[in-house]
Amino acid sequence: MARAFPATPAHEVRLPAATLHRIAAPATNEPRERQDERERPDRRGRQEERERPDRQEQLEQLDRQERQGRQDRCEPQDVGGRFDLLAAGVGPALAAASTAAALTAAALDGAPYDLVVSAGIAGGFLPDAPRGALVVADEITAADLGAETGEGFLPVTELGFGTVTHRPPEPLVRAVTAATGAVPGTVLTVSTVTGTAARAAALRGRHPRALAEAMEGFGVAEAAAAHHVPVLELRAVSNAVGPRDRAAWRIGEALAALTEGFGKLAPALESWNAHDLAEP
């Protein structure tokens, strides 16, 4: 996915649960040495620096902001932003932990994220999402978070607590659909990948709009929701949901489709960030 963006990783940021790859630095007039100082992994040192600001530095910062404000009013601005790539791990728990670590680190650094995108390969429900198809979630749903009963499965919401669905912003889903050709629909998050026709039918019966199943989207969405950051999930289909048949997997084809989709995604993200960021 990093190959789909115009810049190469500038550096890596070590987090407790994973390593974050910084793809492109945000546009800024701040001197390079100040950026380097702010981005050092020694967060305690930065915190102490923020708690004991230098008066001259404050005045210089105010002066820069005033000059930038005048420039903003007179000149068109480059809206290109920073894209950070995080290999969050397999499964909703690790994906949630990794995403939460990245979001918390960014918030403490004073540079919170505008959007979280969960991306990868998935199983597709036939015939709506065949191998090689690109799917964008308009609903991210935890399909197996709940309880089994004598009458069948009960989602956690029917047990009186929690949530099972997060909904990405509709304007963003529309923009991504238009830019990439992805099919919009529900993407299920499961802790155990489906391997039988019976379970595939049961999932589709409970979630008739489901297009794909994966293992991380809901965990990522939970972490994003805790930080009040919008979320998007984009998946490329590598196999059909149903009986496990590794010979029929097309992982390379799916990764190629995902890379191609990301190449078309960046302009849509930048456009949405500029115009629709206020929408929850």
Side-chain angles (χ1 to χ4, degrees):
M1 286 178 284
R3 291 195 298 270
F5 291 96
T8 57
H11 66 277
E12 296 180 343
V13 179
R14 297 289 178 179
L15 300 172
T19 298
L20 183 145
H21 302 273
R22 185 139 291 167
I23 303 299
T28 178
N29 289 335
E30 189 176 29
R32 179 67 258 175
E33 59 270 19
R34 294 295 303 153
Q35 293 183 48
D36 292 340
E37 183 177 350
R38 189 181 65 249
E39 293 172 353
R40 286 201 309 264
D42 183 5
R43 297 187 178 279
R44 184 176 64 181
R46 286 200 307 273
Q47 182 64 31
E48 291 173 354
E49 181 180 329
R50 285 197 295 267
E51 291 173 352
R52 298 192 298 270
D54 180 81
R55 179 62 177 168
Q56 182 61 33
E57 182 181 330
Q58 287 181 327
L59 293 174
E60 291 174 356
Q61 183 178 1
L62 289 172
D63 182 61
R64 286 195 300 270
Q65 290 174 346
E66 183 178 356
R67 291 199 307 270
Q68 184 62 49
R70 289 196 297 268
Q71 180 180 357
D72 290 347
R73 290 190 293 270
C74 298
E75 299 179 10
Q77 296 299 301
D78 179 7
V79 299
R82 184 187 74 205
F83 296 93
D84 292 346
L85 178 63
L86 179 69
V90 177
L94 183 54
S98 301
T99 304
L103 289 168
T104 300
L108 291 175
D109 203 30
Y113 291 102
D114 296 328
L115 176 70
V116 176
V117 181
S118 177
I121 61 176
F125 286 95
L126 298 176
D128 300 314
R131 287 187 293 268
L134 199 62
V135 173
V136 60
D138 56 17
E139 291 186 355
I140 302 170
T141 297
D144 52 9
L145 181 60
E148 291 287 351
T149 72
E151 290 73 36
F153 177 81
L154 286 180
V156 71
T157 48
E158 294 189 21
L159 300 176
F161 55 91
T163 186
V164 294
T165 295
H166 291 280
R167 292 177 175 83
E170 291 183 9
L172 178 58
V173 172
R174 289 196 299 268
V176 170
T177 299
T180 66
V183 182
T186 299
V187 175
L188 304 180
T189 298
V190 294
S191 295
T192 301
V193 173
T194 298
T196 66
R199 186 168 190 255
L203 287 175
R204 199 64 184 273
R206 294 202 304 263
H207 308 281
R209 294 187 65 253
L211 294 179
E213 70 164 25
M215 300 184 72
E216 294 79 31
F218 185 79
V220 172
E222 285 277 84
H227 283 262
H228 306 288
V229 177
V231 68
L232 178 74
E233 184 170 13
L234 187 69
R235 295 282 173 173
V237 175
S238 61
N239 58 278
V241 177
R244 189 173 176 84
D245 180 9
R246 298 189 65 174
W249 292 0
R250 298 293 182 269
I251 293 177
E253 180 182 337
L255 290 175
L258 188 64
T259 301
E260 181 181 356
F262 256 80
K264 301 172 182 177
L265 184 64
L269 296 184
E270 291 175 354
S271 173
W272 178 79
N273 283 339
H275 299 103
D276 298 309
L277 190 57
E279 177 165 333

